[in-house]
Amino acid sequence: MSTHNIEITVDGKSYKRTTESRKLLAHFLRDDLDITSLNIGCDTSQCGACTIKVNGEAVKSCTILAVQANNMTIETVASQATGFTLSIVQQAFQDKHGLQCGFCTPGMVMTTLELLKTNPSPTEDEIRESLHGNICRCTGYHNIIEAIKEAAQQSQFQGASSC
Amino acid sequence: MLKEKSDLNRATDTPKRFNFIGQSVKRREDPALLSGHGTFIDNIKLPNMAYAAVLRSPYAHAKILNIETSEALALEGIIGILTGADIKNQIGAIKPNWIAGDIKVPDHPALAHTKVNYVGDAVAFIVGETRDVVQDALELVEVDYEPLDALINEEAAADVDAIQIHNDLDGNKAGTPLMAWGDYRQAVEEADQIVKLRLENNRLIPSPLEPRVLVANVDVFSGKTDLYIPSQVPHLHRRWIAETLGWPEHKMHLICPDIGGGFGAKMHLYIEEVLVCYASRHFGRPIKWTESRSESHLSTHHGRAHTQYLELAVKNNGQVLGLKLEIFANMGAYLSNMATGVPSVNCTYFANGNYNIPHYFAKTNLMMTNTVPVDAYRGAGRPEATYLIERAMDKVAEKLKLDPLEVRRINVIREFPHNFYDSGSFLECMDVARDRVDYDGWRTKQSEARKQGRYIGIGLINYTESCGMAPSEVLARIGFDRGGYESAQIRVHPDGKVSFATGSMPQGHGHATSYAQIVASTLQIPMEDIEVIYGDTDAVPMGIGTYNSRSMAVGGSAAKICAKKIIKKATKYAAVLLKCDAEKVTYRDGVFTNPEDQTPSEVSFAKVARLAAVPHKKPEGETPGLDEIYFHDPHAMSSPNGSHAAVVEVDIETGKVKILEYVAIDDAGVLINPMLAAGQIHGGVAQGIGQALFEHVQYAADGQLQTGSLLDYALPKSDMLPNFKTEFLFTPTKTNPLGVKGIGEAGTIAAPPVIVSAICDALKPFGISHIDMPLTPPRIWKALQNATIQSKTGEN
Amino acid sequence: MVPFDYIRPKTLKEACAALEEHLDDAQLLAGGHTLLPLLKMRMAATDILIDIQDLSELRRIEITEDMISIGALTRHVDLQKSVELFRDWPVIRQAAGQIADLQVRNRGTIGGSLSAADPSADWPAVALLLSAQITLQSTDGERTVKAEDYFAGMMETVRGPSEILTKITLPRNSNNMKAHYHKFRHPASGYAVASAAVGVTMSGNKIDHVRIAISGISDHAYLAEKSTKILMNEIPSQSLIEEAVQYITHDQTVMSDQFADTAYRAQLAKTMCYRALVACLADQ
């Protein structure tokens, strides 16, 4: 099995590491870089708990090899707050009780960011469709949808790029 | 009248300033979780930590002839492998915690050494340096199996010519507990009609989003074991693991940080929990074991899995005189923790639902099969009970050509207490639900839609359940080897801030917030002054845990009583500072007052705490400090209730169901935090809809699990669910000092029957009165095909 | 995952050479959303993974006067969002939007999907509907295969072990064909239990041209020729469409699994096709 030197930027910090070719980005981040702001809830690329942004786009980090992400820029939910002030989306999730156990939450927030970037005022159906790749077993999605509606409204109010 | 009831939720005995009961306080848990700083166990890495994997049987039923591990052991990075032979005399059998009656318990070794009994049965425990290498080694262990015939279905297991899975269990029956009241034979004599039905309650996978995960670290010098475990019941788990290993309990330290959902799946003793501890000591390394999602389908216990036969003795006016029930409950290959009690107690004790049924007889056949063990899953018996009685009400209505709500109204319980129910608003909830869903309006829309070839259906069901099974003596009577109490400990620090510890254990419930609401409200100090501690058996007094929707009712009550004891003692210390008799001191809003107005006339809770911690002056006969510990063992349980209504539309060409409306009216007494309570309803309903429409564990005849991953087992996704309208009624219970009842399982209990009822209502024009769950598009379409064919042949 | 070596060629030429060298020992990795899940579950293994993500020449959509060329590495999301493609073929956006989920669409590629040839995937039906030509490249050169000749069986195509699927070529929609993609999603996997990609061109009140491609039903996507014949040159009516869809699985061996048996799958194919046809006619 080949090993590879990779360089990767995560939440603004760059890392150089050697990785086995078969290592998934999700495991690389969690086990090799100790970045645990993404979770692994399934092995069939469905639950979306591991969603992060790779070069600005929401991606399931369990379905990309670490070596594929060489030279890429990664953002996790850990970089969304400013200091201890939650971002608009994070705050909306708290305000609307859009999380219970919190395991799916990092992925939910990252998918929401992508949705609101491309569609700043989504309809309820559009929100529901955009979350198709993020499973939540606790909330029944009801309050997640409410949170996203709230975040959309808040970010429109505060300027599009601020969510 | 309803308004008055809702006011009860706010009217408590604490004064205004620090009253948080009944307020939708935002969760203090959230900022960390939202920032990716949750401490889930798979995030934990200990120095020198190794990884483990479990080799599982690919056969449903087979003899083990030989296990060859040499090739796997030779793999670089493999530390060692344990097989059944290695641990045979080291680790005891995995035993159930609930023996509900005269029940035979088949042997369940932590690793199978002579025979495997289901696909997923553990055969070897592999320890290595990395996550990947232990997975590689799984493929290198060679096991010779001699396959045997397999039994999957609970009814087939009862056949006289069925194979026998466990030597000591004749007819594959672990037991046949009975339950009865009145005399069903009398009901039959008095009845105008007998209504019969057969129901399947589909097997489910609880599926918390965080799979099970463990990290064990045994200090070989002190013998102290740290076990990070996502447990709903930390102290019970400590006892079970210690007993199974034969290790002393004071050396076991269980730590439960953030848990990614539980739903009952994380409250049973699993083989990995003892193996990871044993292996950590054996190999002298900290060890982490994390199951994958697909592995979890084979290794984490399933839920439900009943076939039920019902017979109802009814009068022509709709009155139900008697119910006779026979359940075939699939136990799986071994008797799991609570498995025997779930159908025989949780289901059969409550099978009359919200209705007054004077004569009742139930028999539960606890059937062993070659499948994953079945145990408590959110609702645990109550969903099976509610489903059967609510389906029966629809059937009675159909048979007697009565309105289904009328049948319910005739039979509904109106007087409390009633049998196991302390209080309730059974009729009121039904009326409110009927109103909120606009039952009559939808009936009109339904008939208009039918003219256009559209099939809309309306369902409305009632449920009740039991929360916080207690007192402990009652648990003894039903063979449940645990207490019914919960612990609370309050430590008051010298600055007046408070550490509160509870034996209950959240998995997303928001206990850090809701317990702080209770303690702050009782101590009359700000919520910020309360730190809530749980999930650490070294830091928390012995408790029971979180399941059975018991945390607020039992643990919350413990917290309140404990806090009251502190005020009582603090009042005595306050009297020292106020230089008056303790009896004269009053306490309000965090301030002790001497009403006789000498100097100083007031003293704060913090000042009193300081004096108690540095007791240079003590009240006569008092000990230093304000800390208190309290174990609350309620004298009875409480019975929340509610009525849920749903409107659905069925696409008869594809069989697909769209839920147009979902209305949940629930009464759980006083709500500590209505926002969190509504969240529990949403999540519960979503899982209930999952059972009704999507989720279905399927086995092939040879015992292979066909729904072995999330590619086959359909968990509800966001675009498969509707919005939920929730509303609460408030009938406080008198069985605890908070007046609270449970809320955690209500949605899961209510949703399956209401969805099925609504769909069958939609399909009434086709003569369809029942389809077994899950009502997937193909099943509905098949039912329509059969119905259409029947009506066509009928015409001929 | 079973261990493998990983190589990452910079150009198509390098990639072809690498594939030529390793043939069946190697697998191409594009977006990875079919292959990686299989490798993760250890349901597939490979000695060498050739990651072709750097082949930027395969990541473009080109539109000329009479042709549309889509590079194999074009992602589902690119196809969903392309304004140019939407002008000619709104059905591409409609189909892309029904593939898996937002995150998967951000990585998965049309070339990867057509190479994997999953019988329940979405692009095979769309490729058949739009008379796509599929270009395959190897060190020996380039060849082009019609979509109807490309799919060979269950996850099998005519692509040779040394060939890389480089682009998909479509005609422009000069005849103003109205097309629709209707899909019945598997509740768990999200793949099509059955889907129909249907296009209709009218001439006056008659159907001038119709094309129906079906996915999810058989071991590979197919054109429903018999149904098409019934519709051709006819005045559309409910009874005509009903008759046509009766033959939607004609000559096909319909798949069955624990979710949907053959009868139900066939019913879904009929229904998806019926609804897509009605939608096409409504657009005229």
Side-chain angles (χ1 to χ4, degrees):
Chain A
M1 176 173 29
S2 54
T3 56
H4 305 267
N5 298 321
I6 64 169
E7 251 185 277
I8 203 165
T9 304
V10 187
D11 293 334
K13 197 175 160 193
S14 42
Y15 300 84
K16 283 185 189 177
R17 291 287 189 282
T18 303
T19 181
E20 284 185 349
S21 49
R22 66 167 160 173
K23 186 161 279 188
L24 294 169
L25 180 57
H27 281 135
F28 177 78
L29 292 169
R30 291 177 52 80
D31 290 348
D32 293 23
L33 302 186
D34 291 326
I35 292 166
T36 52
S37 45
L38 53 119
N39 295 315
I40 299 175
C42 80
D43 49 1
T44 50
S45 311
Q46 282 172 303
C47 82
C50 67
T51 301
I52 56 172
K53 280 194 180 183
V54 175
N55 290 346
E57 290 176 312
V59 158
K60 291 178 175 175
S61 59
C62 73
T63 317
I64 173 172
L65 299 170
V67 62
Q68 283 180 284
N70 189 17
N71 294 320
M72 289 182 180
T73 302
I74 285 161
E75 250 183 90
T76 78
V77 77
S79 61
Q80 299 308 308
T82 311
F84 294 105
T85 307
L86 297 179
S87 69
I88 289 174
V89 170
Q90 289 169 316
Q91 190 58 55
F93 269 71
Q94 183 183 25
D95 291 349
K96 296 292 177 182
H97 188 31
L99 65 154
Q100 291 182 23
C101 82
F103 197 79
C104 75
T105 307
M108 283 288 176
V109 171
M110 297 315 281
T111 303
T112 302
L113 289 173
E114 166 125 353
L115 166 69
L116 295 183
K117 186 181 77 184
T118 52
N119 184 358
S121 45
T123 63
E124 179 169 329
D125 283 349
E126 285 168 343
I127 297 172
R128 287 190 178 275
E129 202 292 322
S130 72
L131 296 182
H132 186 80
N134 292 80
I135 294 175
C136 172
R137 189 62 163 163
C138 294
T139 65
Y141 306 99
H142 181 102
N143 283 343
I144 293 177
I145 311 288
E146 291 300 307
I148 297 174
K149 284 182 193 163
E150 170 75 12
Q153 228 168 30
Q154 288 293 327
S155 22
Q156 296 233 306
F157 184 65
Q158 299 187 16
S161 60
S162 58
C163 54
Chain B
M1 186 202 84
L2 296 172
K3 265 220 157 128
E4 281 168 21
K5 279 204 167 179
S6 73
D7 285 340
L8 285 171
N9 198 40
R10 273 164 249 133
T12 64
D13 52 357
T14 47
K16 241 179 183 170
R17 191 170 168 211
F18 299 117
N19 179 24
F20 307 100
I21 306 284
Q23 293 188 20
S24 289
V25 178
K26 287 178 204 168
R27 298 204 318 172
R28 48 170 68 178
E29 291 90 338
D30 291 357
L33 292 169
L34 280 160
S35 304
H37 287 284
T39 311
F40 297 105
I41 292 171
D42 195 60
N43 299 358
I44 292 166
K45 240 164 117 179
L46 299 180
N48 202 29
M49 188 175 78
Y51 292 83
V54 176
L55 180 70
R56 300 184 186 280
S57 168
Y59 293 102
H61 198 198
K63 281 185 189 159
I64 298 175
L65 303 179
N66 186 40
I67 302 176
E68 181 52 62
T69 56
S70 54
E71 203 185 335
L73 281 168
L75 188 68
E76 194 188 332
I78 291 299
I79 295 164
I81 298 175
L82 299 170
T83 64
D86 297 324
I87 61 147
K88 207 170 157 187
N89 301 313
Q90 308 292 323
I91 301 178
I94 305 291
K95 290 189 185 124
N97 183 250
W98 195 350
I99 311 282
D102 181 15
I103 281 154
K104 282 189 204 139
V105 179
D107 184 35
H108 182 192
L111 291 170
H113 39 87
T114 54
K115 194 162 83 102
V116 287
N117 291 313
Y118 68 101
V119 174
D121 209 352
V123 173
F125 193 76
I126 302 176
V127 179
E129 299 292 347
T130 65
R131 270 186 212 273
D132 285 322
V133 76
V134 290
Q135 296 296 322
D136 292 340
L138 288 177
E139 297 183 0
L140 300 177
V141 177
E142 282 176 39
V143 185
D144 285 343
Y145 292 103
E146 182 188 317
L148 304 167
D149 288 343
L151 266 179
I152 305 308
N153 180 274
E154 57 272 13
E155 278 192 281
D159 279 355
V160 279
D161 50 357
I163 58 148
Q164 189 166 320
I165 299 171
H166 296 283
N167 283 337
D168 42 352
L169 257 73
D170 290 343
N172 299 305
K173 261 182 208 172
T176 50
L178 306 176
M179 176 66 189
W181 59 71
D183 182 352
Y184 181 73
R185 289 164 299 189
Q186 191 187 325
V188 172
E189 274 173 32
E190 292 171 11
D192 297 324
Q193 303 213 33
I194 302 293
V195 176
K196 292 184 180 184
L197 68 166
R198 176 188 183 277
L199 300 170
E200 286 176 14
N201 208 290
N202 42 327
R203 180 188 276 253
L204 304 174
I205 300 177
S207 308
L209 200 60
E210 176 200 44
R212 286 191 301 121
V213 51
L214 302 161
V215 178
N217 186 21
V218 179
D219 181 329
V220 289
F221 300 102
S222 67
K224 185 90 187 236
T225 300
D226 287 339
L227 175 65
Y228 295 85
I229 176 172
S231 172
Q232 300 175 226
V233 288
H235 290 89
L236 293 180
H237 252 120
R238 183 180 70 179
R239 162 155 66 99
W240 301 330
I241 293 167
E243 278 176 1
T244 309
L245 288 166
W247 296 2
E249 228 176 306
H250 70 300
K251 295 287 188 184
M252 297 292 302
H253 177 204
L254 270 61
I255 309 138
C256 317
D258 288 321
I259 300 181
F263 317 121
K266 293 174 178 169
M267 55 186 279
H268 315 130
L269 178 64
Y270 289 95
I271 56 115
E272 297 86 359
E273 294 161 356
V274 290
L275 285 167
V276 74
C277 293
Y278 179 83
S280 174
R281 190 177 74 172
H282 187 78
F283 296 113
R285 298 276 297 267
I287 296 175
K288 177 188 280 185
W289 171 79
T290 308
E291 69 181 356
S292 72
R293 173 62 50 193
S294 300
E295 182 181 15
S296 140
H297 285 203
L298 294 173
S299 61
T300 297
H301 297 166
H302 295 174
R304 315 284 190 259
H306 283 196
T307 304
Q308 304 166 332
Y309 289 87
L310 286 77
E311 207 178 286
L312 291 101
V314 297
K315 298 292 273 182
N316 280 338
N317 68 357
Q319 196 194 350
V320 179
L321 302 175
L323 167 65
K324 190 175 148 191
L325 171 65
E326 179 165 18
I327 298 175
F328 292 85
N330 200 322
M331 297 280 101
Y334 304 105
L335 289 181
S336 178
N337 202 269
M338 293 167 61
T340 64
V342 170
S344 66
V345 176
N346 288 8
C347 180
T348 68
Y349 282 38
F350 306 98
N352 61 313
N354 296 39
Y355 310 104
N356 190 11
I357 301 180
H359 304 289
Y360 174 55
F361 176 83
K363 176 181 174 186
T364 308
N365 302 286
L366 303 169
M367 304 309 303
M368 307 310 299
T369 61
N370 296 113
T371 61
V372 173
V374 179
D375 205 332
Y377 159 53
R378 198 175 194 171
R382 282 81 49 91
E384 296 91 317
T386 304
Y387 184 73
L388 76 86
I389 195 64
E390 290 299 325
R391 293 309 299 136
M393 287 293 147
D394 280 359
K395 187 82 183 175
V396 170
E398 182 206 337
K399 191 111 189 220
L400 303 177
K401 297 191 169 53
L402 293 170
D403 180 82
L405 288 197
E406 194 48 37
V407 174
R408 286 169 167 86
R409 181 177 289 275
I410 289 168
N411 291 290
V412 76
I413 295 166
R414 296 160 194 245
E415 305 281 322
F416 297 93
H418 181 284
N419 205 0
F420 300 116
Y421 310 142
D422 69 294
S423 60
S425 53
F426 293 5
L427 185 61
E428 294 92 324
C429 275
M430 193 159 74
D431 286 340
V432 175
R434 183 190 176 115
D435 177 60
R436 297 298 185 272
V437 79
D438 188 15
Y439 189 82
D440 300 322
W442 274 112
R443 283 278 174 236
T444 311
K445 285 182 214 164
Q446 178 183 46
S447 57
E448 283 162 13
R450 277 183 191 165
K451 287 175 203 154
Q452 302 156 20
R454 287 174 53 213
Y455 295 89
I456 288 172
I458 308 138
L460 197 157
I461 66 91
N462 303 313
Y463 79 89
T464 181
E465 56 149 331
S466 63
C467 295
M469 195 186 277
S472 297
E473 290 78 4
V474 164
L475 277 75
R477 281 206 290 278
I478 55 172
F480 207 174
D481 184 19
R482 63 178 68 174
Y485 63 89
E486 196 49 88
S487 65
Q489 183 190 41
I490 296 176
R491 285 176 287 151
V492 182
H493 304 297
D495 61 354
K497 313 292 188 206
V498 163
S499 293
F500 165 77
T502 173
S504 64
M505 181 65 218
Q507 317 111 50
H509 302 74
H511 285 179
T513 304
S514 53
Y515 274 107
Q517 288 179 256
I518 296 169
V519 176
S521 301
T522 315
L523 292 179
Q524 302 184 54
I525 57 175
M527 271 184 72
E528 301 78 63
D529 291 0
I530 318 285
E531 184 69 15
V532 179
I533 297 167
Y534 45 72
D536 184 324
T537 57
D538 276 5
V540 176
M542 184 158 64
I544 304 295
T546 292
Y547 59 92
N548 189 215
S549 305
R550 69 193 297 280
S551 292
M552 288 301 106
V554 189
S557 300
K560 181 171 180 176
I561 296 167
C562 192
K564 281 193 157 179
K565 284 162 68 99
I566 283 177
I567 296 299
K568 200 172 168 193
K569 188 171 179 187
T571 303
K572 292 181 188 166
Y573 270 97
V576 172
L577 292 171
L578 294 167
K579 299 189 176 69
C580 65
D581 286 346
E583 291 74 36
K584 291 187 178 150
V585 175
T586 59
Y587 183 61
R588 190 191 156 92
D589 297 351
V591 178
F592 294 91
T593 307
N594 174 5
E596 288 174 1
D597 199 25
Q598 291 165 10
T599 307
S601 64
E602 287 185 349
V603 60
S604 68
F605 182 76
K607 279 234 168 91
V608 173
R610 169 82 192 193
L611 175 66
V614 188
H616 291 174
K617 278 188 205 163
K618 280 199 289 264
E620 210 183 312
E622 273 305 332
T623 53
L626 296 178
D627 296 3
E628 290 285 353
I629 186 165
Y630 186 73
F631 296 86
H632 179 59
D633 201 354
H635 62 83
M637 56 197 179
S638 69
S639 51
N641 70 277
S643 300
H644 286 204
V647 183
V648 303
E649 180 166 358
V650 181
D651 175 347
I652 60 160
E653 283 165 350
T654 62
K656 197 170 173 174
V657 172
K658 187 175 163 72
I659 300 171
L660 304 177
E661 238 185 285
Y662 195 101
V663 175
I665 310 298
D666 297 277
D667 186 342
V670 172
L671 301 178
I672 304 300
N673 184 325
M675 179 176 78
L676 303 194
Q680 288 296 316
I681 294 294
H682 297 158
V685 167
Q687 291 185 11
I689 293 175
Q691 166 160 33
L693 296 181
F694 311 116
E695 298 182 39
H696 191 203
V697 175
Q698 287 173 282
Y699 277 99
D702 65 355
Q704 292 299 324
L705 181 63
Q706 293 174 310
T707 44
S709 81
L710 288 185
L711 290 171
D712 308 297
Y713 187 81
L715 294 178
K717 295 174 182 162
S718 53
D719 50 356
M720 294 151 75
L721 293 174
N723 268 321
F724 310 118
K725 289 181 188 155
T726 54
E727 202 175 309
F728 292 99
L729 269 61
F730 305 95
T731 308
T733 179
K734 293 192 176 73
T735 64
N736 68 60
L738 284 168
V740 303
K741 302 174 177 179
I743 197 74
E745 296 160 290
T748 325
I749 294 167
V754 75
I755 294 293
V756 175
S757 183
I759 294 170
C760 294
D761 182 58
L763 300 178
K764 231 181 188 169
F766 299 93
I768 293 170
S769 63
H770 179 73
I771 303 171
D772 276 320
M773 296 189 291
L775 277 67
T776 60
R779 280 191 170 189
I780 290 174
W781 184 76
K782 280 269 135 80
L784 281 163
Q785 291 314 102
N786 292 337
T788 313
I789 290 162
Q790 272 169 17
S791 69
K792 272 181 190 160
T793 42
E795 276 162 28
N796 296 338
Chain C
M1 276 185 265
V2 176
F4 50 77
D5 288 337
Y6 171 89
I7 53 176
R8 187 159 163 177
K10 293 281 168 234
T11 63
L12 181 56
K13 204 175 160 194
E14 271 180 48
C16 288
L19 197 53
E20 176 71 36
E21 187 188 338
H22 300 292
L23 293 173
D24 286 338
D25 294 336
Q27 294 255 31
L28 291 169
L29 182 68
H33 276 59
T34 305
L35 182 57
L36 287 178
L38 291 173
L39 291 171
K40 273 161 62 177
M41 304 279 280
R42 294 187 183 232
M43 285 158 71
T46 185
D47 290 340
I48 297 150
L49 211 50
I50 304 175
D51 182 357
I52 56 171
Q53 68 169 307
D54 290 339
L55 276 50
S56 52
E57 64 259 54
L58 304 189
R59 195 188 300 275
R60 63 176 76 142
I61 300 168
E62 278 177 342
I63 304 189
T64 63
E65 205 171 308
D66 51 359
M67 293 302 257
I68 296 170
S69 163
I70 300 169
L73 290 180
T74 309
R75 301 171 307 163
H76 309 316
V77 66
D78 303 324
L79 295 161
Q80 189 181 4
K81 288 187 177 163
S82 165
V83 176
E84 293 76 19
L85 277 180
F86 182 74
R87 276 192 206 119
D88 268 58
W89 295 115
V91 69
I92 291 180
R93 177 174 295 179
Q94 200 187 18
Q98 294 181 61
I99 297 173
D101 54 58
L102 176 151
Q103 297 96 310
V104 170
R105 295 195 289 269
N106 278 342
R107 292 283 304 165
T109 66
I110 187 169
S113 168
L114 291 174
S115 297
D118 190 292
S120 303
D122 303 280
W123 289 129
V126 177
L128 284 170
L129 166 71
L130 301 181
S131 306
Q133 308 257 2
I134 289 160
T135 302
L136 304 169
Q137 173 93 45
S138 70
T139 48
D140 295 338
E142 189 180 273
R143 65 174 176 135
T144 297
V145 185
K146 282 187 191 168
E148 47 261 63
D149 300 326
Y150 172 77
F151 301 104
M154 177 71 78
M155 304 189 99
E156 268 179 41
T157 70
V158 299
R159 184 172 66 91
S162 64
E163 287 181 314
I164 298 176
L165 192 162
T166 55
K167 67 178 176 189
I168 297 95
T169 313
L170 311 173
R172 299 290 304 267
N173 190 4
S174 48
N175 296 326
N176 196 23
M177 180 193 258
K178 303 294 183 190
H180 278 270
Y181 183 70
H182 278 234
K183 171 180 179 178
F184 193 96
R185 257 180 179 174
H186 188 286
S189 73
Y191 276 90
V193 184
S195 71
V198 175
V200 176
T201 313
M202 296 294 287
S203 169
N205 64 348
K206 284 190 178 170
I207 295 173
D208 183 53
H209 183 69
V210 60
R211 211 167 154 89
I212 300 169
I214 302 291
S215 203
I217 291 298
S218 182
D219 63 357
H220 61 83
Y222 64 90
L223 287 169
E225 314 263 6
K226 186 151 181 179
S227 300
T228 309
K229 269 187 200 139
I230 292 169
L231 295 162
M232 285 287 217
N233 303 314
E234 297 287 340
I235 299 167
S237 67
Q238 190 180 335
S239 58
L240 180 76
I241 299 173
E242 274 170 8
E243 193 202 339
V245 300
Q246 289 309 313
Y247 297 96
I248 202 73
T249 57
H250 181 71
D251 273 352
Q252 299 295 327
T253 307
V254 180
M255 295 192 296
S256 161
D257 59 29
Q258 72 253 22
F259 178 73
D261 65 9
T262 56
Y264 180 67
R265 261 207 161 70
Q267 165 68 14
L268 282 186
K270 274 184 217 168
T271 309
M272 293 302 111
C273 181
Y274 183 94
R275 290 175 184 183
L277 274 166
V278 169
C280 292
L281 292 166
D283 277 357
Q284 303 290 333

